[in-house]
Amino acid sequence: MCGIAGILYKNSQGAEPVGQSLISMLDGCQHRGEDSTGFAMYRPEDNHLHLRFIVGDDGEAAIEHIKSILAEHGATLLSDERLGKSYRANVAFEGDIQDFTYALENAAKLISAGYALDIIKDEGTAKDVDDAYAVNGFAGTHGIGHVRLATESEVKPEAAHPFLATGFADVAIVHNGQITNYWKMRRRMERRGFKFRTDNDSELIAVYLADHLKNGHTLETALQEAIDTLDGTFSFLVSTKDEIGYAKDHLAAKPMVLVETDDLIAIASEEVSLNRLFPGTALTTTEPAPGTFKTWQRSI
Amino acid sequence: MATLDLSTLSITEANERIRTLGEQGTDIEIINPDARHHIGVGLTAPVNVKVKGSAGYFCAGLSDGASFEIEHNVGWAVGDNMYAGSVIVGGNAGAIPGVAIRGADIVVKGNMGSRAGQVMKAGNLICAGNSNFMAGYMMYGGRIVILGNSGEQVGQDMTAGEIFVAGDVQSLGADAMLTDLDSTDTDEIRALLDKYEISFKGALQKVVNAGTKLRYAKQEPRTRPQPFFVSSGRSDYWNAKVQEDIFIKAGTGRYRIRGYGASKPMAHFNDIAFRKDLSHAGNDADALTRVNLETKIGGRYGAKPLSLSMPVQIAPMSFGALSKKSKIALATASRMSGISENTGEGGMLEEARQEADQLVFQCLSGRLGWNIKDMQRADGLEIYISQGAKPGLGGQLMAKKITPELAEKRGIPEGIDLRSPSRHPDVLGADDLVIKLEEFREATGHKIPVSIKMGAGRVKDDIKIAYKDGFDYVALDGLQGSTGAASTEVLENVGIPTVGALIEAKLGLAEIEAGDDMQLVIMGGIKDGIDAAKAIALGADAVAMGTAAIIAGGCIACMQCHVGTCPVGIATQDPEHTDRYDNAQEALNIHRFLEGVRWQMAAITDALGYDDIHKLSPDDLVALTPEAAAITGLEYVPGHVDLQNSALKKA
C-alpha cells in the first residue's frame, strides 16, 4: 500500500531538479505511507557503473567483501562513499552485468546498479530520507519515487521501493498493488536462471520488464506483455536510462493521474502530488484508463 | 463572499472556517486548492462554495444542502454521501463520483472515473463526457445520466435506479438490462441538463435492474427450532445439527442462511483460568467500591473519548437485524449501566440516540443509513470492515424485515433480499483507508473517536494497518461473533476464535513497537464478566457484548433470526411479534445482567489483589488445555511431566 510518483524532463541535458521534484511529489502523498520512501533518479549516462548497497550502520566487513568481489570480476573501483546506511561505489566494468550483480549480492544488498541510475531508499518519510541522503541536490533528467505503508512484510530499507531489476542495469520500478501470481511467475523465471533477492512481488515486475528489454523488445511492448501476464491489482511506473512508463491493471483499483506539458511529464497516485510541482495552478490532468500503458522518452 | 487561501491554511483550518462561514450564511471562494483532499467535507449549511482550481478526494463529501462549484478537476468520491445540494465539476472526476449519495445533483462536465454512483440511493449524477467502467455499480436508487460512452459493465449488480446513456453502452453489467424510456424520462432529463447549462439533443438509452438476483427464490423452511445451546454442544459427526443442515439444503438447493454465530466447539475463554484461588471472590459485596473499572476508549489524537463506567460496550447490532424496540432496550440499558451502545450497520434510530448517553455510529460498505447529521451527533464513528460471523462478506437483510420505515432510513427499495457490497467503494487498500478516516475526522471537527470493526482473520497483519492508518481503537470480532443473517458456510468456517484473535492483535502491535495509544476492544462469544476479565488480562482494553445482551433481553437463541418472525420480538420487524416486546422491562433485564458483569469483573480483580481491572495481566492466567496454551503462550496447568527424569521413576 503506497503512493507513487514519476517525472521526466523531456529535453533535459541533466541539470533538472529531479531530486527536489520527487521529494515534493512524494511529500504530497506521504499520507499513503510513512514506513519508507525511495527514489530512483537518472542523470545522463556515463561510462561508469554506479552501484549502491545497503550495508547498515556497521558495514566495514561488507564493504571489504564488496571490494574483493569487484577485484575478482575485474572491476576497477574509481570512487566510493558511505552515506546513511548505504555504500556507493563507482566502478569501471565491462563484463556481464547479470553475473557481476548476482555475485555482489553475496556481499551486501545491492539496491542500485546503472550507468545513469542511482536508487536511494530508506525507512521514514521523503523528508527523512532527504535529510539523510541529500536527495534534494540530485540534478538529472528523470526519476520515479515511492512512499510505502508495509502491510504484510517488514519495514526495512531493502523492502522499500524503487526496485532495481536485479541482474540488469538502469531499470527500476515503483508499484502500488499486489501481484497475485507472483510465486508462479517467480518460479518460471528462476528456472531460466534469474535470481530474486527479496520476497517482494514488485521486484518481479522489474526483472520481468528488464528481461523483455534485454530480448530486444521496446519498453512499450514489455508493458503490454506485463498487463496481460501479471495478475492482481497494480499501478506501476518503470524507468530506464532514457524513458519512463506506466502500466495500469484492468480493474483500476490503484489510483494514477498524470500531467504533461511541453517540458515534462509527471505521474503520481494523486493529483495533489502533481500540484506540488505547480503550486497555485489548476492542472489539466489525465487519469489513465484501466488496462493501459504508455511510455515517454527523453529527447537526446 | 469570503475568500480562503489554501496555500496558507491547513485543510482542517479551512474546513472549520467553511463551517463557521456557512452557519453565518456567507458564500465562500477557495483559492489555491492545489487538488487538496477533503475540501468542504461535512458542510451542512445551504451556501455556495466555489473552488478556483482542482480539488482532491472527497470534495463536498458528507455535506447536506450546500452548492459547490469546482472549476477544474476533482479526485475520487466527489460528493460522497450527499443528502441535498449540488456539485458542479468543470473538468474531470476521478473514481466513484457521487458514491452513496442520498440526494443532490452531481454534475461532471468532463469525464468521470470508474464505479460512478456506487451504492447511491437517490439524486442525480450527470456526466457530460465519458464514464469509466461499472457506472452504477450496486446502486440502490437515483439516476445517472452519461452523455458520452458508458464504459464496460454499466449497471453491474444495480438493485434499483436508472442509468441513461447517450453514447455507446459498451457492455452491460450483471443483472442489468436495456429497457424503453418512460414517456416523461426525456423531458425530465432535458430539464435537468438545462438547469446546469448542458446542451443535449440526442437520444438516450436506459439501463435498469434485470431482476435476476434480487430475491432468494426459496426461503429456508421453517423447522422446529434447535436452540444454539444444543447445537453448539459437543457431539459426533452425524448429529441433529448436521441432519437439519442437509434437510434445509435439500429444500433450497443453495447455500443456507441463518442467524447467530459459529455453532461448534472451539478454543474459548473457558479454556483459561485464573492462577489464584478465587473461592472467596463471590463473598465480598464491597469489591465494587475497592476496584476501579472506569475505562476511556478513543482519544488517540485528542478526540473526546468514550467514557465507560466499566470496560464493556454493547456490540454492534443493527436496527433491521433487530427490531426497533429491542434496539431501544439496548440503548436504555447502556445508559443505565454507564456504557456505550452501537448503532450497528443500519443507521441511527432517533429513539436510540435519545436513550443512549454514548452511541457509536457505524458505517457500512453500502452506506445504509449513513448521514452527516447523525455523524455529528454520534459519540464515536466506526468503519465496518467485517465481523466475526462473516469476515469478508457484506451485510444481508431478508425482504421480510424491510419495512417502509427501514427502507426509508437505509435508502433502499422494499421487497428485496438486501445485500451490501463486501467492500467499501472508496477503500481498496490501506492507503485509501487513511484518506477515508481523515474524511470522517474532517466531517466531525476531529472531536470524536473513529474506530474500525474487523472480523478476525489475518489479525497480525490487519492490526498493523489499523495502527498505521491512525484509528483511535479497533473493535475486533472473533469467529464466535453473531449476526442476523449470513451464509452458514462462512458463518461456521471463516475466521479465527476470539482468544487467538486477541493474542495475534497484541503480537502484531508488539512487532511494530506500537505504543498503547490505539486501544483494542475484543468481542465474539464473550458471555459474562469472567470472560471479560480474562480478555482484559490478555491485553484487551475493553470488551463488547452482543449475544449475551440480547439473551438477557429475552432472546431464546433459536438461530432463526433471518426468518423475520422472531417469537420474542427481537429479530423481526413484524408488528404482531414486536408488539410482544416490552422494551422498558427488557432494558431493565439487560441492565441487571450488565450489573452482574460489573460485579464479576470487580470481584475477580479484587480477589487477585488489584484495585484496578487494567492491572490484570497474562501472569494472572493459566491455560487449562494444551490448545489454549499453544494459542496464548500461557502456562499449561497441570502441565507436562517428564516421567523418565522425574522422582517417580527413581521410586
Side-chain angles (χ1 to χ4, degrees):
Chain A
M1 306 298 156
C2 47
I4 58 180
I7 187 164
L8 179 137
Y9 291 93
K10 294 177 175 176
N11 307 299
S12 174
Q13 300 304 309
E16 269 50 59
V18 170
Q20 183 56 56
S21 298
L22 287 173
I23 292 167
S24 296
M25 285 199 279
L26 293 176
D27 185 62
C29 64
Q30 194 84 62
H31 52 267
R32 301 183 73 92
E34 296 188 354
D35 285 332
S36 52
T37 304
F39 304 81
M41 299 174 289
Y42 294 79
R43 54 171 66 93
E45 183 182 16
D46 60 24
N47 295 326
H48 308 149
L49 188 62
H50 305 272
L51 306 167
R52 189 180 289 274
F53 304 83
I54 292 175
V55 295
D57 294 321
D58 177 23
E60 278 71 26
I63 291 169
E64 287 308 308
H65 196 172
I66 290 166
K67 288 178 176 176
S68 69
I69 294 175
L70 293 177
E72 280 171 32
H73 285 78
T76 305
L77 179 61
L78 301 172
S79 65
D80 63 348
E81 175 190 45
R82 290 285 299 276
L83 194 62
K85 298 191 183 82
S86 78
Y87 171 69
R88 183 180 60 79
N90 292 342
V91 305
F93 177 74
E94 292 181 2
D96 180 79
I97 292 285
Q98 189 165 327
D99 290 344
F100 183 44
T101 53
Y102 284 175
L104 286 167
E105 282 280 351
N106 292 317
K109 183 64 67 181
L110 178 67
I111 62 170
S112 182
Y115 296 93
L117 168 66
D118 194 3
I119 294 173
I120 295 175
K121 56 185 186 179
D122 206 338
E123 296 168 35
T125 64
K127 291 190 163 106
D128 295 335
V129 176
D130 181 31
D131 287 346
Y133 296 88
V135 173
N136 71 85
F138 191 99
T141 56
H142 59 289
I144 59 180
H146 186 275
V147 297
R148 179 170 191 252
L149 185 157
T151 53
E152 291 163 24
S153 56
E154 292 175 74
V155 179
K156 51 189 179 181
E158 53 264 46
H161 297 226
F163 277 97
L164 174 70
T166 307
F168 297 86
D170 288 310
V171 182
I173 69 123
V174 292
H175 165 219
N176 183 3
Q178 309 93 31
I179 303 301
T180 54
N181 59 344
Y182 162 67
W183 287 104
K184 179 159 70 170
M185 295 285 297
R186 173 172 164 158
R187 283 193 295 272
R188 286 181 187 169
M189 298 193 79
E190 283 173 338
R191 281 199 291 270
R192 294 176 47 214
F194 291 104
K195 296 178 183 175
F196 291 86
R197 296 304 179 187
T198 72
D199 287 342
N200 194 303
D201 54 352
S202 306
E203 184 191 9
L204 178 118
I205 301 175
V207 175
Y208 176 89
L209 293 173
D211 178 42
H212 274 72
L213 294 173
K214 184 182 181 184
N215 289 330
H217 297 142
T218 64
L219 182 57
E220 269 204 331
T221 303
L223 290 169
Q224 167 126 62
E225 289 284 318
I227 291 172
D228 292 339
T229 303
L230 300 174
D231 196 12
T233 64
F234 52 85
S235 289
F236 66 77
L237 301 177
V238 58
S239 54
T240 69
K241 60 194 177 191
D242 54 15
E243 272 179 300
I244 65 171
Y246 76 79
K248 200 168 168 71
D249 71 57
H250 287 286
L251 286 177
K254 299 301 177 183
M256 185 182 271
V257 65
L258 66 91
V259 63
E260 184 165 11
T261 70
D262 290 341
D263 295 321
L264 63 82
I265 176 70
I267 313 176
S269 295
E270 298 174 14
E271 187 166 332
V272 61
S273 289
L274 302 179
N275 245 128
R276 291 297 188 92
L277 300 175
F278 302 95
T281 303
L283 301 175
T284 300
T285 58
T286 304
E287 182 172 336
T292 63
F293 59 92
K294 191 171 180 181
T295 63
W296 291 266
Q297 195 161 25
R298 180 169 66 94
S299 309
I300 301 174
Chain B
M1 164 83 69
T3 300
L4 300 177
D5 183 349
L6 292 200
S7 67
T8 60
L9 292 169
S10 75
I11 196 63
T12 301
E13 289 164 338
N15 279 328
E16 283 170 3
R17 292 220 203 167
I18 289 167
R19 275 194 286 269
T20 301
L21 290 164
E23 285 160 9
Q24 297 164 5
T26 306
D27 289 346
I28 299 145
E29 180 186 70
I30 294 174
I31 62 174
N32 294 316
D34 287 5
R36 302 263 286 283
H37 302 323
H38 306 122
I39 296 171
V41 159
L43 179 59
T44 55
V47 291
N48 297 310
V49 179
K50 182 162 192 168
V51 178
K52 298 186 75 71
S54 291
Y57 285 28
F58 296 113
C59 180
L62 298 163
S63 67
D64 186 4
S67 298
F68 289 80
E69 185 184 339
I70 300 93
E71 285 188 342
H72 224 70
N73 301 328
V74 293
W76 285 26
V78 60
D80 172 39
N81 211 244
M82 279 180 85
Y83 265 66
S86 64
V87 183
I88 302 171
V89 177
N92 300 322
I96 51 172
V99 55
I101 56 172
R102 293 287 298 255
D105 293 339
I106 313 292
V107 181
V108 178
K109 299 205 167 178
N111 300 321
M112 66 181 181
S114 60
R115 298 174 292 122
Q118 184 169 347
V119 298
M120 68 185 276
K121 301 169 183 67
N124 296 295
L125 171 59
I126 299 160
C127 173
N130 299 318
S131 174
N132 214 318
F133 71 94
M134 272 193 201
Y137 177 41
M138 288 193 82
M139 70 191 287
Y140 296 105
R143 175 196 286 150
I144 298 177
V145 181
I146 303 167
L147 299 185
N149 299 328
S150 73
E152 305 280 345
Q153 294 175 265
V154 62
Q156 173 87 359
D157 282 315
M158 66 192 292
T159 299
E162 303 167 327
I163 305 173
F164 297 90
V165 182
D168 287 340
V169 172
Q170 285 156 275
S171 69
L172 290 168
D175 207 16
M177 70 180 187
L178 287 166
T179 191
D180 294 336
L181 274 70
D182 294 345
S183 58
T184 57
D185 282 337
T186 301
D187 288 344
E188 284 175 9
I189 290 168
R190 285 187 193 281
L192 184 62
L193 295 174
D194 285 348
K195 178 179 178 185
Y196 293 105
E197 297 173 0
I198 299 173
S199 64
F200 171 70
K201 290 185 168 60
L204 293 161
Q205 299 179 83
K206 183 174 177 179
V207 179
V208 295
N209 170 259
T212 63
K213 294 169 99 179
L214 289 180
R215 284 165 201 79
Y216 292 110
K218 294 180 180 175
Q219 302 298 309
E220 273 80 8
R222 183 70 191 196
T223 59
R224 180 190 178 93
Q226 179 188 126
F228 183 75
F229 316 109
V230 170
S231 182
S232 62
R234 292 189 181 273
S235 52
D236 298 312
Y237 186 76
W238 292 104
N239 56 41
K241 173 186 174 186
V242 173
Q243 292 173 41
E244 181 194 54
D245 193 68
I246 293 170
F247 173 75
I248 289 169
K249 288 191 171 73
T252 61
R254 57 160 171 77
Y255 66 88
R256 182 183 166 201
I257 293 169
R258 70 163 175 80
Y260 252 69
S263 171
K264 61 187 186 183
M266 67 182 84
H268 190 59
F269 293 102
N270 284 356
D271 302 321
I272 295 167
F274 293 99
R275 188 181 287 271
K276 191 173 176 182
D277 175 11
L278 296 181
S279 58
H280 301 295
N283 293 339
D284 190 343
D286 285 338
L288 284 169
T289 65
R290 284 196 294 270
V291 173
N292 176 60
L293 299 175
E294 287 177 6
T295 305
K296 293 196 187 302
I297 298 290
R300 185 179 179 191
Y301 294 102
K304 182 188 178 190
L306 300 172
S307 189
L308 310 175
S309 69
M310 59 177 166
V312 176
Q313 298 177 315
I314 304 287
M317 292 178 282
S318 70
F319 166 49
L322 303 189
S323 63
K324 178 190 272 194
K325 279 185 167 185
S326 57
K327 283 298 287 178
I328 296 170
L330 289 163
T332 305
S334 73
R335 171 171 52 74
M336 294 171 79
S337 289
I339 61 174
S340 64
E341 159 65 319
N342 191 303
T343 62
E345 67 253 36
M348 186 185 284
L349 265 178
E350 180 60 38
E351 294 89 337
R353 173 67 277 186
Q354 295 305 317
E355 285 297 310
D357 271 348
Q358 299 179 91
L359 185 60
V360 176
F361 189 23
Q362 198 179 70
C363 173
L364 183 69
S365 55
R367 305 294 148 80
L368 307 174
W370 190 244
N371 68 89
I372 182 62
K373 294 203 165 88
D374 288 339
M375 289 174 74
Q376 289 175 343
R377 57 190 191 136
D379 299 288
L381 303 175
E382 187 162 90
I383 295 178
Y384 171 106
I385 297 294
S386 60
Q387 69 187 92
K390 48 192 178 184
L393 292 189
Q396 296 197 56
L397 191 66
M398 312 312 281
K400 198 176 179 70
K401 290 187 176 178
I402 303 181
T403 60
E405 177 185 10
L406 228 143
E408 191 274 333
K409 171 161 277 297
R410 294 194 179 202
I412 56 177
E414 292 175 56
I416 61 164
D417 294 315
L418 172 72
R419 286 151 296 160
S420 290
S422 59
R423 68 196 316 171
H424 288 263
D426 38 16
V427 179
L428 301 182
D431 36 15
D432 302 329
L433 185 55
V434 73
I435 304 174
K436 186 67 186 174
L437 170 55
E438 190 61 21
E439 186 202 24
F440 285 1
R441 290 206 164 112
E442 286 296 321
T444 53
H446 292 249
K447 291 174 183 162
I448 58 179
V450 186
S451 58
I452 185 169
K453 167 77 184 295
M454 300 191 306
R458 300 172 60 160
V459 176
K460 203 193 286 185
D461 292 328
D462 294 342
I463 200 83
K464 293 172 182 172
I465 295 171
Y467 184 82
K468 293 175 186 178
D469 274 354
F471 284 96
D472 282 280
Y473 68 94
V474 171
L476 184 59
D477 198 5
L479 175 55
Q480 298 99 314
S482 287
T483 182
S487 94
T488 53
E489 286 74 14
V490 172
L491 183 153
E492 290 276 2
N493 296 293
V494 179
I496 67 174
T498 302
V499 176
L502 175 50
I503 297 299
E504 268 207 27
K506 300 301 288 188
L507 283 175
L509 292 171
E511 280 181 8
I512 55 171
E513 296 170 2
D516 56 8
D517 49 335
M518 184 180 79
Q519 290 154 307
L520 187 58
V521 176
I522 192 76
M523 67 187 85
I526 293 180
K527 62 192 185 313
D528 53 27
I530 299 168
D531 284 351
K534 292 171 182 173
I536 288 161
L538 285 173
D541 293 283
V543 303
M545 300 171 104
T547 305
I550 60 171
I551 289 173
C555 170
I556 59 174
C558 69
M559 297 198 294
Q560 310 232 345
C561 318
H562 59 292
V563 175
T565 55
C566 170
V568 179
I570 294 174
T572 179
Q573 304 303 323
D574 175 28
E576 179 186 344
H577 293 94
T578 58
D579 283 351
R580 301 175 185 174
Y581 196 82
D582 180 344
N583 53 281
Q585 178 61 49
E586 298 298 354
L588 195 60
N589 294 340
I590 298 166
H591 165 60
R592 282 195 294 256
F593 165 72
L594 292 168
E595 293 308 298
V597 167
R598 183 195 308 275
W599 182 83
Q600 284 178 316
M601 290 191 289
I604 288 170
T605 304
D606 188 51
L608 291 171
Y610 301 114
D611 60 6
D612 188 318
I613 191 168
H614 296 294
K615 291 180 178 172
L616 295 178
S617 81
D619 291 339
D620 297 306
L621 301 172
V622 293
L624 298 179
T625 65
E627 291 80 11
I631 291 168
T632 61
L634 296 173
E635 183 183 358
Y636 172 49
V637 173
H640 302 275
V641 176
D642 184 354
L643 187 59
Q644 296 306 309
N645 295 302
S646 75
L648 287 173
K649 179 179 182 183
K650 188 193 298 186

